[in-house]
Amino acid sequence: MDHYQTLGLRRSATKKEIKEAFRRCALKFHPDRHSLSPPAVRDQAVLSFKQVSEAYEILIDDRRRAEYDFAGGRRPEGFGGRRAAHTSAHRGYGYGGAARNSRPAFDWEFLFRYLTSRRFLLNVALASALLGGAVVVERSGDAIWRMNNSGKSFEEAMESLEKAKVRREEG
């Protein structure tokens, strides 16, 4: 279903044109206007009203409209439901060896959607916080070492500890 065609619009339609087209179609297909119609007409009007409403929801939102346009007029998987698993037919294999579509072997759209998903960004934030904490602990340990052992290297400090240990055992 092409949302632009559903609302009777061009792809370059403005938000004002989208709102006007939605109002016009909503008045035409609203279920209340068809309450006394035969069941078949009423059911078709309800279906058309749902399609018009979905088209309006996607086209009026800039982000969702950009995703829809990027998907080439197909409904992107991110709208209402999980992403369908890619089958061999979807990738263009099978059916006599001829490619069904001209999609590239790597799905950049899926990668972009994954990298901008809330789950991925929260995981990156958590990993950054853990890494930052490790760096803080490491640097604070070094700073404490330098305060307590000023001018000594680690090896020199270990030698002095060994000497002190030997002195205690002898004395």
Side-chain angles (χ1 to χ4, degrees), residues 1-72:
M1 167 177 69
D2 182 15
H3 293 313
Y4 293 101
Q5 188 177 14
T6 301
L7 293 175
L9 296 170
R10 296 169 286 127
R11 291 200 172 271
S12 61
T14 64
K15 282 194 172 199
K16 184 178 179 182
E17 292 172 331
I18 293 170
K19 286 180 183 179
E20 289 172 2
F22 172 69
R23 285 187 186 118
R24 185 177 57 249
C25 291
L27 287 174
K28 181 178 178 182
F29 297 117
H30 198 278
D32 290 345
R33 291 193 68 157
H34 297 279
S35 61
L36 301 176
S37 299
V41 174
R42 187 174 44 239
D43 292 343
Q44 181 58 40
V46 168
L47 178 64
S48 297
F49 184 75
K50 287 180 182 179
Q51 291 174 343
V52 165
S53 297
E54 179 183 1
Y56 174 75
E57 287 177 14
I58 291 173
L59 297 181
I60 202 67
D61 183 0
D62 292 333
R63 182 186 59 81
R64 293 177 77 186
R65 182 178 181 181
E67 287 179 0
Y68 177 77
D69 289 342
F70 181 76

Side-chain angles (χ1 to χ4, degrees), residues 20-154:
E20 289 172 2
F22 172 69
R23 285 187 186 118
R24 185 177 57 249
C25 291
L27 287 174
K28 181 178 178 182
F29 297 117
H30 198 278
D32 290 345
R33 291 193 68 157
H34 297 279
S35 61
L36 301 176
S37 299
V41 174
R42 187 174 44 239
D43 292 343
Q44 181 58 40
V46 168
L47 178 64
S48 297
F49 184 75
K50 287 180 182 179
Q51 291 174 343
V52 165
S53 297
E54 179 183 1
Y56 174 75
E57 287 177 14
I58 291 173
L59 297 181
I60 202 67
D61 183 0
D62 292 333
R63 182 186 59 81
R64 293 177 77 186
R65 182 178 181 181
E67 287 179 0
Y68 177 77
D69 289 342
F70 181 76
R74 297 183 324 272
R75 181 178 170 169
E77 290 84 0
F79 296 133
R82 295 180 171 244
R83 182 174 175 78
H86 288 292
T87 61
S88 61
H90 180 75
R91 283 290 189 196
Y93 302 106
Y95 291 55
R100 279 189 62 205
N101 55 28
S102 60
R103 289 188 70 157
F106 189 77
D107 193 354
W108 290 101
E109 179 184 351
F110 173 73
L111 177 65
F112 176 74
R113 188 173 293 123
Y114 177 73
L115 292 177
T116 56
S117 69
R118 180 176 291 146
R119 178 179 46 188
F120 177 78
L121 295 175
L122 287 173
N123 286 336
V124 167
L126 177 64
S128 299
L130 291 174
L131 182 61
V135 168
V136 167
V137 167
E138 174 73 22
R139 289 191 180 176
S140 63
D142 288 345
I144 291 172
W145 173 263
R146 277 188 246 113
M147 284 188 327
N148 293 332
N149 300 302
S150 60
K152 292 182 184 177
S153 70
F154 180 76

